[in-house]
Amino acid sequence: MAMTPTGHPAPAPAGQADVDVLATARCRVRRLVGLLETLPFSEYTARLAREYLDEAGLVREAFERFTQLDAAEQQRQLCLWRETAS
């Protein structure tokens, strides 16, 4: 994501914010699943799980909006996201 002159991230183009939310959630789930494989759970694992659950509503809303798009628009947004993420 580009930085504005004030040093803050520039807002994502319309629709891209949902792809960003979903991609971030995917990374967090991968990390969390790996940590959940080990017992006993550490405080770090518990904290990450709580943080993920706290954001579940936002992720669910982004997923619902994204899945309502037609396949071509989903692919367009994913391509744009990949370009800006690399």
Side-chain angles (χ1 to χ4, degrees):
M1 189 174 285
M3 298 295 277
T4 62
T6 60
H8 298 288
Q16 289 303 107
D18 287 341
V19 177
D20 287 339
V21 168
L22 296 173
T24 300
R26 181 181 64 177
C27 292
R28 293 181 93 170
V29 165
R30 285 181 180 159
R31 182 174 33 176
L32 186 55
V33 166
L35 291 170
L36 291 173
E37 293 286 331
T38 61
L39 288 173
F41 297 142
S42 68
E43 183 54 39
Y44 177 70
T45 301
R47 181 172 55 83
L48 287 182
R50 285 186 200 100
E51 288 173 3
Y52 185 79
L53 293 173
D54 288 345
E55 295 177 3
L58 176 66
V59 174
R60 184 175 28 254
E61 290 168 6
F63 180 77
E64 289 299 323
R65 284 188 298 269
F66 188 77
T67 58
Q68 294 299 314
L69 301 173
D70 63 43
E73 179 60 17
Q74 287 179 1
Q75 287 303 312
R76 187 187 74 75
Q77 287 190 17
L78 288 171
C79 287
L80 286 172
W81 179 83
R82 287 183 187 116
E83 288 175 8
T84 60
S86 56

